[in-house]
């Protein structure tokens, strides 16, 4: 990964056109070919970017650009479209490159991991007659958190989240589409389980025939007696 802090202007040319006037910015060049332009505000989102696959070419500016103070020009060309990100650099203040190595990927936080373990141990919370097939049932697109059977012997795929949103429902939908191609498992239905489920996610899940279950983490851990509470 290359990190460059530079006084620059940026133009996006293609299906859309956008211009960032001259200012000091952070330019991030990743090994996957993406280039991102950041300011010191706006949280995590870049001001503009080019997604991979793309190629970066550094070239000398035209005479008219030299007269305005441009010292070098970056042309980031998309490999799939005619879109280009053009960065006119006036001055570079910092330029370093770092090999980040192989990223291990996202590891679920302790709560999600505990929810998976606890629900596997207390699978009857989903209903009488449920039995566990296995945790982390691997598929070609990733592991299903829990695979189980209901009282009728049908296969059930459970996706667990700490806070359930639309992305989680979409993830479970993809798993269900793949699992239902397996004649040994099909038909497979889904359960979206979380401590909190956003209303939009609940509506989407119901529309796709996916059941929603709200989990009481403290009660599952045995540190809170849910039946003794007034509220």
């Amino acid at each position: 990964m290359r990190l460059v802090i530079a006084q620059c202007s940026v133009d996006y040319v293609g299906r859309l056109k956008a211009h960032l006037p001259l200012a000091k910015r952070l330019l991030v060049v990743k090994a996957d070919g993406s280039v991102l332009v950041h300011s010191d505000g706006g949280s995590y989102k870049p001001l503009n970017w080019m997604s991979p696959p793309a190629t970066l070419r550094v070239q000398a500016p035209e005479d008219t650009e030299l007269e305005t103070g441009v010292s070098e020009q970056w042309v980031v060309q998309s490999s799939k479209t005619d879109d280009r990100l053009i960065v006119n650099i006036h001055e570079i203040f910092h330029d370093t490159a770092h090999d980040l190595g192989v990223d291990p990927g996202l590891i679920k936080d302790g709560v999600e991991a505990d929810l998976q373990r606890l629900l596997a141990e207390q699978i009857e919370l989903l209903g009488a007659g449920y039995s566990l097939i296995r945790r982390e049932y691997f598929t070609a697109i990733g592991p299903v958190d829990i695979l189980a059977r209901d009282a009728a012997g049908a296969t059930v795929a459970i996706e667990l989240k700490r806070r359930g949103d639309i992305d989680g429902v979409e993830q479970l939908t993809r798993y269900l589409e793949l699992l239902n191609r397996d004649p040994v498992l099909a038909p497979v239905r889904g359960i979206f389980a979380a401590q909190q489920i956003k209303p939009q996610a609940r509506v989407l899940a119901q529309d796709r025939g996916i059941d929603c279950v709200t989990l009481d983490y403290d009660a599952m851990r045995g540190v809170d007696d849910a039946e003794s509470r007034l509220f």
Side-chain angles (χ1 to χ4, degrees), residues 1 34 64 77 80 84 104 132 144 163 170 182 186 194 213:
M1 178 181 289
S34 58
T64 55
Q77 177 68 57
K80 293 183 177 180
R84 289 175 296 154
L132 176 70
V144 178
R163 294 182 178 86
E170 294 285 6
D182 187 337
V213 174

Side-chain angles (χ1 to χ4, degrees), residues 86-133:
I86 301 172
V87 183
N88 287 311
I89 295 178
H90 288 241
E91 183 178 0
I92 292 178
F93 306 99
H94 177 85
D95 189 347
T96 58
H98 307 270
D99 183 0
L100 302 186
V102 178
D103 191 275
L106 180 66
I107 299 174
K108 291 186 176 182
D109 67 22
V111 173
E112 282 193 21
D114 284 346
L115 279 172
Q116 184 189 108
R117 175 181 58 81
L118 290 167
L119 187 58
E121 294 171 354
Q122 303 171 42
I123 197 70
E124 68 279 357
L125 289 174
L126 299 177
Y130 270 75
S131 60
L132 176 70
I133 296 177

Side-chain angles (χ1 to χ4, degrees), residues 78-202:
S78 171
S79 301
K80 293 183 177 180
T81 68
D82 292 330
D83 291 7
R84 289 175 296 154
L85 190 71
I86 301 172
V87 183
N88 287 311
I89 295 178
H90 288 241
E91 183 178 0
I92 292 178
F93 306 99
H94 177 85
D95 189 347
T96 58
H98 307 270
D99 183 0
L100 302 186
V102 178
D103 191 275
L106 180 66
I107 299 174
K108 291 186 176 182
D109 67 22
V111 173
E112 282 193 21
D114 284 346
L115 279 172
Q116 184 189 108
R117 175 181 58 81
L118 290 167
L119 187 58
E121 294 171 354
Q122 303 171 42
I123 197 70
E124 68 279 357
L125 289 174
L126 299 177
Y130 270 75
S131 60
L132 176 70
I133 296 177
R134 67 166 295 170
R135 293 168 55 188
E136 296 287 338
Y137 184 87
F138 288 95
T139 74
I141 58 174
V144 178
D145 287 330
I146 291 178
L147 203 66
R149 287 191 180 91
D150 63 16
T155 309
V156 183
I158 300 110
E159 179 64 26
L160 286 161
K161 297 293 181 186
R162 185 175 180 180
R163 294 182 178 86
D165 57 19
I166 286 177
D167 287 345
V169 178
E170 294 285 6
Q171 183 179 359
L172 179 54
T173 300
R174 293 192 294 270
Y175 288 145
L176 290 172
E177 289 175 353
L178 187 63
L179 292 170
N180 274 299
R181 298 177 193 170
D182 187 337
V184 176
L185 298 175
V188 185
R189 64 184 181 87
I191 292 179
F192 188 52
Q195 288 180 275
Q196 300 174 358
I197 300 178
K198 293 184 178 180
Q200 300 94 327
R202 192 178 293 274

